[in-house]
Amino acid sequence: GSHRDDDAGSHDGGRGRGRRRRGPDGNDDDDDSYRYGMDESELDLTNTETVEEEGVEMQISSLKKLNIENASDFLARSQLSACATLTHLSKNCANARSMCRNGELLRCVMLLAGVLDNPLHTRCLEMMCNFTRFPSNNPLLASNKDAVDTLLATGRSKLAEDRMWSIRSVQNLCSDASSKVGLATEPMLGLLSTAAMRKEHDEQLAAVGALMNLSTEPGSI
């Protein structure tokens, strides 16, 4: 019994003095190391990971900046490709019918067709002309004020190709019997009369054809 008391005394005597705490790895460590919970090797590893994370963030930031700088060019090229694809599709009459009845597509085509400083506007005018080649599309377009206003504006464009597609579209719209009276307005007749006196043969031919289509309807005389 005395042996156990002596041992206990030797361990308990001076309790709290001269004893070393054990760190997370089970080894004796001083108070500071134990308080922070890691040794120097672990600190080095953490610092390395932090530097790597900062490097990745800098790379991501650089890529974002590069993408923003290239966004305008990428968007312009994407729009050009999309417009070219839609123009080719619209040359098929079956496609022209379904495309013209897509409200969102038609709205975008008319919007771009009317922006004369946009490089896509001529192709959009060609697309509208392709829509009018399908007879059942003409009542829909002739009753659409935005479509008619767009053609009135682009029919006065400085570019001969713009005027040609516009006047051809009007000619096709005027071939619809139910639309002739509504199209025989002063602005439209003025546009067609001016186009009929221009030097460009295709524009002249389309304008005279449109006037002839309107003249066959008694209500528009």
Side-chain angles (χ1 to χ4, degrees), residues 113-135:
V115 183
L116 299 183
D117 58 350
N118 189 301
L120 302 178
H121 81 276
T122 302
R123 297 284 69 81
C124 288
L125 287 172
E126 180 183 357
M127 206 182 311
M128 288 186 67
C129 185
N130 290 338
F131 291 164
T132 64
R133 292 172 58 201
F134 193 77

Side-chain angles (χ1 to χ4, degrees), residues 20-25 27-31 33-34 38-39:
R20 298 177 64 86
R21 294 187 177 184
R22 294 185 179 275
D25 56 0
N27 298 323
D28 289 341
D29 204 349
D30 56 29
D31 290 345
S33 295
Y34 182 68
M38 60 182 65
D39 56 20

Side-chain angles (χ1 to χ4, degrees), residues 110 128 141-153 170 173 182-183 185 188:
M110 290 189 301
M128 288 186 67
L141 292 172
S143 62
N144 189 317
K145 184 178 183 301
D146 291 336
V148 175
D149 289 345
T150 297
L151 293 175
L152 284 172
V170 172
L173 294 180
L183 291 172
T185 62
M188 183 63 74

Side-chain angles (χ1 to χ4, degrees), residues 66-208:
L66 181 63
N67 288 336
I68 292 173
E69 292 173 352
N70 294 334
S72 297
D73 182 61
F74 175 78
L75 180 60
R77 292 176 181 272
S78 299
Q79 289 176 334
L80 180 62
S81 297
C83 189
T85 301
L86 292 171
T87 302
H88 284 296
L89 291 174
S90 67
K91 293 178 181 179
N92 180 274
C93 285
N95 291 337
R97 182 183 184 279
S98 59
M99 291 171 70
C100 188
R101 283 160 174 73
N102 186 313
E104 186 66 20
L105 174 61
L106 184 60
R107 185 186 68 81
C108 291
V109 170
M110 290 189 301
L111 178 64
L112 284 174
V115 183
L116 299 183
D117 58 350
N118 189 301
L120 302 178
H121 81 276
T122 302
R123 297 284 69 81
C124 288
L125 287 172
E126 180 183 357
M127 206 182 311
M128 288 186 67
C129 185
N130 290 338
F131 291 164
T132 64
R133 292 172 58 201
F134 193 77
S136 67
N137 286 342
N138 291 329
L140 178 65
L141 292 172
S143 62
N144 189 317
K145 184 178 183 301
D146 291 336
V148 175
D149 289 345
T150 297
L151 293 175
L152 284 172
T154 56
R156 296 181 174 86
S157 171
K158 295 180 180 180
L159 298 179
E161 187 178 4
D162 290 355
R163 298 195 304 269
M164 179 193 70
W165 291 122
S166 300
I167 302 302
R168 282 182 176 178
S169 296
V170 172
Q171 179 186 8
N172 290 338
L173 294 180
C174 292
S175 67
D176 178 64
S178 64
S179 304
K180 294 181 180 183
V181 175
L183 291 172
T185 62
E186 184 175 348
M188 183 63 74
L189 294 175
L191 172 66
L192 294 176
S193 299
T194 301
M197 294 184 288
R198 292 188 186 275
K199 296 180 179 181
E200 288 76 17
H201 176 72
D202 289 337
E203 185 178 349
Q204 278 186 336
L205 189 63
V208 172

